[in-house]
Amino acid sequence: MVVLNKIYTRTGDKGETALGDGSRVAKHSPRVDAYGTVDETNATIGLARLHADGDIDDALARIQNDLFDLGADLCRPEMAKDADAEYPPLRMAQEQVDRLEAEIDAMNKVLEPLRSFILPGGSPLAAHLHLSRTVSRRAERLATELAAQEDVNPVAVKYLNRLSDWCFVAARVANDDGKADVLWVPGANR
């Protein structure tokens, strides 16, 4: 259990922060950028939850918890050293990706096939889910950029990829099962 008695520590006042293994890096490092954007994704999902209820809200609550797991995974470099760690690092598991895929498949069953691209919008929940989708895509881009330079759990990257898909499908469900989707009309304003 994490105990936070003091929120500010002053240890980052010179532009550095501690990673999960205790090493210090610049706050603008690719690793911090990646897990910071995962945190942004989580915040946008918190906003979406203001408009959600039932199964969607329950799923979003699980996703928020998963995103903390993902941040913990990304802030801990060098997976090769996991066996030597005093405490086993928290890593994303394939089961978390599998759950997203199962939920996507279940939601997709009620939707009509797409015949056009969708503009972000519609209901307040759908609009917020589209925002979450785009921020999770940015987190994915940053995680793949980090993975090209450093050791990253490949399941973490997969999770971000599925999450953006999940948000897209859930946004369609939130738009009256796609009936209220805002469709792109190419060249409509020429």
Side-chain angles (χ1 to χ4, degrees), residues 51-66:
H51 306 283
D53 56 21
D55 291 342
I56 295 278
D57 187 50
D58 292 344
L60 289 171
R62 286 190 303 273
I63 288 167
Q64 283 193 294
N65 200 79
D66 283 353

Side-chain angles (χ1 to χ4, degrees), residues 2 12 19 43 56 66 71-72 91 93 98 101 119 152 161 169-170 175 178:
V2 174
L19 296 178
I56 295 278
D66 283 353
R91 298 289 182 201
D98 294 343
E101 289 178 355
L119 301 178
V152 171
N161 186 278
V169 174
N175 275 340

Side-chain angles (χ1 to χ4, degrees), residues 11-47:
T11 59
D13 289 352
K14 294 185 179 173
E16 289 188 343
T17 191
L19 296 178
D21 66 354
S23 62
R24 296 195 64 79
V25 297
K27 289 186 175 187
H28 60 272
S29 78
R31 187 168 294 278
V32 176
D33 208 11
Y35 71 70
T37 307
V38 168
D39 190 34
E40 286 181 56
T41 304
N42 205 336
T44 65
I45 288 174
L47 288 172

Side-chain angles (χ1 to χ4, degrees), residues 75-94:
C75 88
R76 181 78 186 220
E78 299 188 62
M79 290 178 55
K81 293 183 178 179
D82 284 359
D84 300 331
E86 185 177 346
Y87 300 101
L90 182 60
R91 298 289 182 201
M92 294 299 287
Q94 183 61 41

Side-chain angles (χ1 to χ4, degrees), residues 147-169:
Q149 303 167 26
E150 298 181 38
D151 194 20
V152 171
N153 178 1
V155 178
V157 176
K158 272 196 230 180
Y159 186 90
L160 287 167
N161 186 278
R162 293 312 176 285
L163 177 59
S164 58
D165 296 336
W166 189 99
C167 290
F168 178 80
V169 174

